[in-house]
């Protein structure tokens, strides 16, 4: 039930936008037809289509972006029928050619898909975008911190199996190197610059992607804030993208992409925490109740054995990965 609520909540903007498009389409459809449709039928139609749209978004999440494309396409098709009442765009046309109307409708869908999701708009100036998402969890602040914030010495508590190494890239311990590897040959390296930290409640990281061929690039700033709320903890993530294409900005806002990522992340952190409890016989390692922010971030006390994960790849793997030619990684 909780996962269903999360799905519906993350689709709130998509469903609201779809309802608006449907209402406008029905309004234009009335003006095109010879008689108005009853209000009750109008409301019932919108609600039914919203249920269908929500069902598609939940049951087939990879197809959820088709919902807004269909809504916009329907509005455009009805609008063209309103402007051209004697054409096959107008379904109330007494001389309507059904086959032609179907082809026109499919053509409108293709055009709207290219207009909304095509990369043609990426040539325009990217924008700076700040996105915030929130969720809650019953895990402790410590478990959430080590599951969300890559920390050297706590690799087992990161729920991503493709993360093979987390270490410090400078003596001041303000830059963290994160190495990912997805067999058989894809690897990537990130540098996380710690701008501000108050563990285990807040951290702000500047994300730098390492690319020896094209040069390093900064991908924005990400911050995590963990707040105690009695039996639960509220997790807030804020991401600032320095240069985001308009297309991705609109799509990410409508889809609440960052919120979906946070939900998935918390779910994986919870699973990883439960697995660590079971692997240790149900007894977690007790940590000092009061420690400084620096100790919390730099220590390795919570990992009794260096490589306890059953399905994880651990150092010295990064050393021999680094020795491979880049084409083989």
């Amino acid at each position: 039930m909780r996962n269903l609520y999360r799905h519906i909540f993350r689709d709130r903007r998509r469903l609201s936008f779809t309802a608006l498009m449907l209402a406008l389409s029905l309004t234009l459809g009335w003006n095109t037809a010879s008689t108005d449709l009853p209000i009750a039928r109008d409301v019932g139609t919108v609600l039914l289509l919203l249920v269908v749209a929500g069902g598609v978004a939940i049951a087939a999440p990879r197809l959820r972006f088709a919902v807004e494309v269909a809504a916009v396409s329907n509005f455009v098709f009805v609008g063209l029928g309103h402007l051209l009442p004697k054409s096959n765009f107008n379904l109330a046309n007494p001389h309507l050619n059904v086959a032609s109307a179907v082809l026109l409708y499919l053509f409108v869908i293709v055009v709207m898909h290219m207009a909304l999701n095509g990369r043609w708009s990426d040539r325009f100036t990217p924008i700076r975008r700040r996105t915030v998402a929130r969720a809650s969890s019953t895990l402790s602040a410590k478990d959430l911190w080590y599951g969300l914030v890559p920390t050297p010495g706590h690799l087992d508590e990161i729920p991503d199996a493709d993360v093979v190494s987390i270490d410090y890239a400078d003596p001041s311990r303000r830059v963290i190197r994160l190495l990912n590897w997805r067999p058989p040959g894809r690897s990537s390296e990130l540098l996380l610059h710690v701008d501000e930290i108050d563990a285990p409640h807040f951290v702000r990281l500047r994300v730098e992607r390492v690319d020896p061929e094209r040069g390093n690039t900064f991908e924005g700033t990400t911050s995590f804030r963990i707040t105690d709320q009695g039996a639960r903890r509220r997790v807030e993530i804020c991401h600032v993208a320095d240069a985001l294409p308009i297309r991705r900005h609109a799509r990410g806002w409508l889809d609440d992409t960052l919120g979906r990522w946070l939900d998935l992340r918390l779910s994986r952190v919870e699973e990883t925490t439960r697995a660590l409890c079971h692997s240790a016989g149900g007894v977690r390692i007790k940590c000092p109740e009061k420690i400084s922010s620096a100790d919390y971030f730099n220590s390795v006390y919570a990992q009794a054995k260096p490589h306890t994960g059953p399905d994880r790849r651990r150092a010295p793997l990064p050393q021999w990965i680094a020795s491979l030619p880049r084409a083989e990684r």
Side-chain angles (χ1 to χ4, degrees), residues 152 167-177 191-194 294 297-298:
D167 57 4
Y168 293 107
D170 69 331
S172 66
R173 296 189 172 186
R174 303 296 291 186
V175 181
I176 301 170
R177 180 185 293 108
L191 295 178
L192 307 178
H193 299 257
V194 182
F297 196 59
N298 297 332

Side-chain angles (χ1 to χ4, degrees), residues 128-251:
R128 181 180 176 87
R129 183 198 181 198
R130 181 179 183 272
T131 309
V132 179
R134 300 175 181 86
S136 62
S137 174
T138 57
L139 292 180
S140 67
K142 181 188 78 69
D143 290 330
L144 290 171
W145 176 269
Y146 288 129
L148 294 171
V149 182
T151 306
H154 299 271
L155 186 58
D156 283 322
E157 292 163 89
I158 290 291
D160 302 316
D162 59 335
V163 176
V164 296
S165 177
I166 305 174
D167 57 4
Y168 293 107
D170 69 331
S172 66
R173 296 189 172 186
R174 303 296 291 186
V175 181
I176 301 170
R177 180 185 293 108
L178 188 70
L179 180 64
N180 296 267
W181 180 56
R182 296 180 182 178
R186 184 180 179 183
S187 66
S188 62
E189 184 177 345
L190 294 177
L191 295 178
L192 307 178
H193 299 257
V194 182
D195 286 344
E196 185 179 352
I197 180 173
D198 180 21
H201 302 294
F202 177 78
V203 66
R204 184 171 66 244
L205 305 168
R206 282 185 296 119
V207 183
E208 180 184 6
R209 183 170 295 277
V210 178
D211 191 337
E213 298 178 358
R214 301 180 181 179
N216 296 4
T217 57
F218 281 94
E219 299 187 343
T221 304
T222 300
S223 63
F224 293 97
R225 186 180 300 276
I226 302 172
T227 306
D228 286 322
Q229 293 183 330
R232 307 182 69 86
R233 255 60 57 193
R234 186 183 71 169
V235 180
E236 177 182 289
I237 178 174
C238 175
H239 181 71
V240 179
D242 296 329
L244 191 70
I246 299 177
R247 167 181 60 91
R248 293 182 58 188
H249 168 72
R251 184 172 180 173

Side-chain angles (χ1 to χ4, degrees), residues 51-62:
V51 171
V52 173
V56 170
I58 294 174
R62 292 186 178 183

Side-chain angles (χ1 to χ4, degrees), residues 11-300:
D11 280 316
R12 65 194 185 281
R13 295 168 183 164
R14 170 174 288 110
L15 295 179
S16 299
F17 178 77
T18 301
L20 176 62
M21 290 292 101
L22 290 174
L24 293 175
S25 300
L26 288 174
T27 301
L28 290 178
W30 293 353
N31 297 332
T32 302
S34 57
T35 58
D36 290 350
L37 293 174
I39 297 298
R41 187 182 304 176
D42 166 39
V43 175
T45 302
V46 172
L47 292 178
L48 177 61
L49 292 178
L50 280 179
V51 171
V52 173
V56 170
I58 294 174
R62 292 186 178 183
L63 299 178
R64 66 184 185 274
F65 296 102
V67 172
E68 55 263 30
V69 173
V72 173
S73 300
N74 188 66
F75 171 71
V76 171
F77 184 84
V78 173
L80 291 174
H82 180 76
L83 296 174
L84 305 171
K86 295 183 179 180
S87 69
N88 287 318
F89 288 104
N90 181 15
L91 299 182
N93 183 4
H95 304 291
L96 176 70
N97 185 312
V98 177
S100 177
V102 171
L103 291 177
L104 287 174
Y105 190 77
L106 295 176
F107 174 76
V108 170
I109 291 178
V110 172
V111 172
M112 289 299 100
H113 171 71
M114 295 175 61
L116 297 176
N117 299 323
R119 297 185 177 181
W120 60 271
S121 62
D122 293 354
R123 69 187 68 178
F124 298 106
T125 304
I127 60 177
R128 181 180 176 87
R129 183 198 181 198
R130 181 179 183 272
T131 309
V132 179
R134 300 175 181 86
S136 62
S137 174
T138 57
L139 292 180
S140 67
K142 181 188 78 69
D143 290 330
L144 290 171
W145 176 269
Y146 288 129
L148 294 171
V149 182
T151 306
H154 299 271
L155 186 58
D156 283 322
E157 292 163 89
I158 290 291
D160 302 316
D162 59 335
V163 176
V164 296
S165 177
I166 305 174
D167 57 4
Y168 293 107
D170 69 331
S172 66
R173 296 189 172 186
R174 303 296 291 186
V175 181
I176 301 170
R177 180 185 293 108
L178 188 70
L179 180 64
N180 296 267
W181 180 56
R182 296 180 182 178
R186 184 180 179 183
S187 66
S188 62
E189 184 177 345
L190 294 177
L191 295 178
L192 307 178
H193 299 257
V194 182
D195 286 344
E196 185 179 352
I197 180 173
D198 180 21
H201 302 294
F202 177 78
V203 66
R204 184 171 66 244
L205 305 168
R206 282 185 296 119
V207 183
E208 180 184 6
R209 183 170 295 277
V210 178
D211 191 337
E213 298 178 358
R214 301 180 181 179
N216 296 4
T217 57
F218 281 94
E219 299 187 343
T221 304
T222 300
S223 63
F224 293 97
R225 186 180 300 276
I226 302 172
T227 306
D228 286 322
Q229 293 183 330
R232 307 182 69 86
R233 255 60 57 193
R234 186 183 71 169
V235 180
E236 177 182 289
I237 178 174
C238 175
H239 181 71
V240 179
D242 296 329
L244 191 70
I246 299 177
R247 167 181 60 91
R248 293 182 58 188
H249 168 72
R251 184 172 180 173
W253 179 85
L254 194 66
D255 186 57
D256 197 3
T257 302
L258 187 63
R260 294 177 185 275
W261 179 90
L262 181 59
D263 288 343
L264 180 60
R265 187 73 179 183
L266 290 180
S267 177
R268 289 179 176 177
V269 171
E270 291 169 357
E271 291 177 1
T272 301
T273 301
R274 287 194 296 268
L276 288 174
C277 285
H278 293 319
S279 64
V283 179
R284 295 300 300 272
I285 301 172
K286 293 184 178 181
C287 307
E289 294 182 0
K290 294 183 179 181
I291 54 178
S292 67
S293 177
D295 290 338
Y296 213 113
F297 196 59
N298 297 332
S299 65
V300 294

